[in-house]
Amino acid sequence: MVAFGRPPAAPEESTAALLAREAAEAAELRAHQARPDVVASRVERVRAQVDRLCWAGIVLGLGFTMTNVQHFAAGTAAVWSLPWLAAWLLDPTVSLVLLAILRAEQVTARYRVRTGPWVRRAKWFTLAATYVMNTWASYAAGSLSGIVLHSVPPLVVFVAAEAVTDLRDKLTEAVSAAFTEADRRTPAVVHESRPGTSARSKHIGRRTSFAEYLATARAAWAPGTTVTPSWIREVTGCSRGLSSRLAATLTRELGGGELP
């Protein structure tokens, strides 16, 4: 029975050949997985997931604090009176400023641009204001359970707001590290001279003729060398279409004994 996900081996394929083929496929897969573009794409997906989860937690936490802040702002105002209705605007005012700061930091952290001190002060002030307004009634009543209950959402928002910025910065560093590691592991390309290079260099700046290509191939030929189009292209650098004609011509010359 053939294992799931693995193509059946040919009847004549030996175990060693099968292992060699699987090793080559695994090496090719690892090479693609280690490419900086692939790593960057994966990090971008993780970054998007982190953003969505953190934003969901922040919005839910701010939504939880809205009623307590409204109750703090309304005080003893009658329900549906103008002060009572205006009290609902306090929490959105603070939350929208906080969300605007976090959204700006999302972009600056992506491109590793540091913001000024007033940005952090504004973020901390909005978070502190939300915390105080949300827990004031519990502190005034001396209710420990109320303090804990109404402290958790603002503190979670505060911690998430600080952590998400650092996480974005570290994810950006991960992408940069992937590109740096790829550059470090890429071997330097050494251009070795091949037979016929000096001959071809004489014709730089003008079109090389068929006779010149043939002379280059004739000079590179040695006894025991098999004349093929690929060998012709290797020693002369000619096009694929011309290499077949050159190989045929040189083969006829070798067969006719015209070469020493």
Side-chain angles (χ1 to χ4, degrees):
M1 180 177 293
V2 180
F4 178 77
R6 179 182 301 172
E12 66 278 1
E13 190 174 19
S14 64
T15 303
L18 176 62
L19 292 176
R21 179 167 58 83
E22 291 180 349
E25 293 175 354
E28 183 179 2
L29 179 61
R30 286 195 302 271
H32 286 297
Q33 290 176 341
R35 291 180 58 182
D37 291 335
V38 176
V39 175
S41 177
R42 291 179 174 177
V43 173
E44 287 295 335
R45 288 198 295 269
V46 173
R47 190 205 304 270
Q49 295 172 358
V50 170
D51 283 338
R52 285 194 294 267
L53 294 174
C54 286
W55 276 106
I58 290 172
V59 171
L60 291 175
L62 292 175
F64 180 85
T65 64
M66 183 178 295
T67 56
N68 293 317
V69 173
Q70 191 275 342
H71 179 71
F72 169 82
T76 58
V79 178
W80 298 111
S81 64
L82 187 59
W84 185 87
L85 293 175
W88 284 104
L89 300 178
L90 180 58
D91 186 77
T93 300
V94 178
S95 298
L96 287 177
V97 174
L98 174 61
L99 293 176
I101 296 173
L102 295 179
R103 183 68 181 93
E105 286 186 340
Q106 184 180 22
V107 179
T108 56
R110 180 183 181 89
Y111 297 101
R112 308 181 74 175
V113 177
R114 297 298 179 184
T115 55
W118 277 105
V119 175
R120 175 151 294 194
R121 292 170 188 170
K123 181 171 64 174
W124 285 1
F125 175 79
T126 54
L127 290 169
T130 301
Y131 176 81
V132 171
M133 292 186 295
N134 193 60
T135 58
W136 183 269
S138 299
Y139 276 108
S143 174
L144 294 179
S145 60
I147 293 174
V148 173
L149 175 64
H150 298 301
S151 295
V152 170
L155 291 178
V156 169
V157 171
F158 177 80
V159 173
E162 288 295 324
V164 70
T165 303
D166 189 57
L167 285 175
R168 294 190 195 107
D169 187 56
K170 296 304 180 182
L171 289 173
T172 302
E173 288 184 7
V175 177
S176 301
F179 279 95
T180 303
E181 179 68 15
D183 292 338
R184 185 183 65 82
R185 293 189 302 176
T186 301
V189 179
V190 179
H191 298 281
E192 298 181 354
S193 60
R194 296 181 301 180
T197 301
S198 59
R200 291 197 304 273
S201 62
K202 298 178 182 179
H203 309 298
I204 295 177
R206 64 181 180 85
R207 187 187 181 103
T208 305
S209 65
F210 182 86
E212 290 170 340
Y213 277 129
L214 182 61
T216 301
R218 189 185 295 115
W221 181 85
T225 302
T226 303
V227 179
T228 61
S230 60
W231 178 81
I232 291 290
R233 290 194 300 271
E234 181 181 357
V235 299
T236 64
C238 66
S239 63
R240 182 177 295 272
L242 188 60
S243 63
S244 300
R245 293 175 52 198
L246 289 169
T249 302
L250 185 58
T251 301
R252 284 196 301 271
E253 290 182 1
L254 294 174
E258 297 179 18
L259 295 179

